[in-house]
Amino acid sequence: MNAQIHDGIPPLFWEEYAEQRWGQYISAIEEKIIRFAHSQLVTPTTALEIGAEGGRWSKLLADLGWRMTCTEIDPVALAVCQQRIPDSRCVLVDLESRDLPCGNNSQDLILAIEVHELVEQSWFVDEVGRVLKDGGIFVGVFQNKHSWRAALNLKSMLQGTMRHYTAGYLPWKRNMMGRGYRFLREEGICWMPFGRRSNSIFVKPATHLEQLLGLRQLTSVSPWIVFAAIKEPARPSDPGASNER
Ligand SMILES: C[S@@+](CC[C@H](N)C(=O)[O-])C[C@H]1O[C@@H](n2cnc3c(N)ncnc32)[C@H](O)[C@@H]1O
């Protein structure tokens, strides 16, 4: 598996991180779960990626036959994404915007990969529920407040300025299940003490150990969780079964 794009365009900010050993480890798990979601959906139709940057994941899906809508707050990254995936609909969004640029029940697949400040927010989950079709899959990455990595941000936590690790995974997951999502795949990652930019030769053995010890199954206390959740069709008697606006 290889999430790197080799098309002559210099790697963007987060793509450079993804090329380091720690980034490769994270990307390989993200890619596995994105490909899993694709395989579950059988026929590629329309998908939305939020925070697509230069489009490494959107390109992967577009090459698999998906018609992509890609959002970004960074116009330079979005221009690269559009260049790499000419058929995609690339939408520049405002950091403060509180809606997704797609119609009700219009997408079979939604990605929010490493857009950490969004996934746990209730407006965002409401919007994913509005846009995702019944039977559609939401793939994302969650930074878990109930993990050792959250403690690294203790100062900003105490000052109330914390932007990452703001919610616990288990309560969030329960909330999602209450909204009718079923979690198909979850992997708890980033247990080992490497920084985001690490290119240490110890990444491989350490992350292998993480796997051997079964830490990836301990999602309630994992630092990051990569998940794929399917939106179950609402039963007619469910309150809010219709999500018409
Ligand atoms: C860590 S990068 C991940 C990029 C890409 N998803 C990937 O995995 O390669 C997060 C990206 O999300 C974008 N972003 C942050 N907040 C956003 C928002 N509200 N809507 C759309 N994009 C956002 C950032 O500009 C950045 O490019």
Side-chain angles (χ1 to χ4, degrees), residues 21-29 189-191 203 207 210 216:
R21 288 187 176 90
W22 185 246
Q24 286 177 22
Y25 144 75
I26 295 170
S27 297
I29 295 169
I189 63 169
C190 297
W191 283 89
V203 166
T207 54
E210 168 190 273
R216 293 188 190 165

Side-chain angles (χ1 to χ4, degrees), residues 14-15 18 30 49-57 71-74 77 93-98 112-118 123 196:
W14 292 105
E15 289 169 356
E30 292 168 344
E49 181 177 12
I50 299 123
E53 209 202 19
R56 62 177 181 146
W57 299 126
T71 77
E72 245 309 323
I73 55 172
D74 175 350
V93 294
D94 193 276
L95 184 59
E96 304 303 326
S97 71
R98 292 289 175 268
I113 307 295
E114 299 183 34
V115 198
H116 299 299
E117 55 273 36
L118 279 191
W123 76 263
R196 193 69 186 83

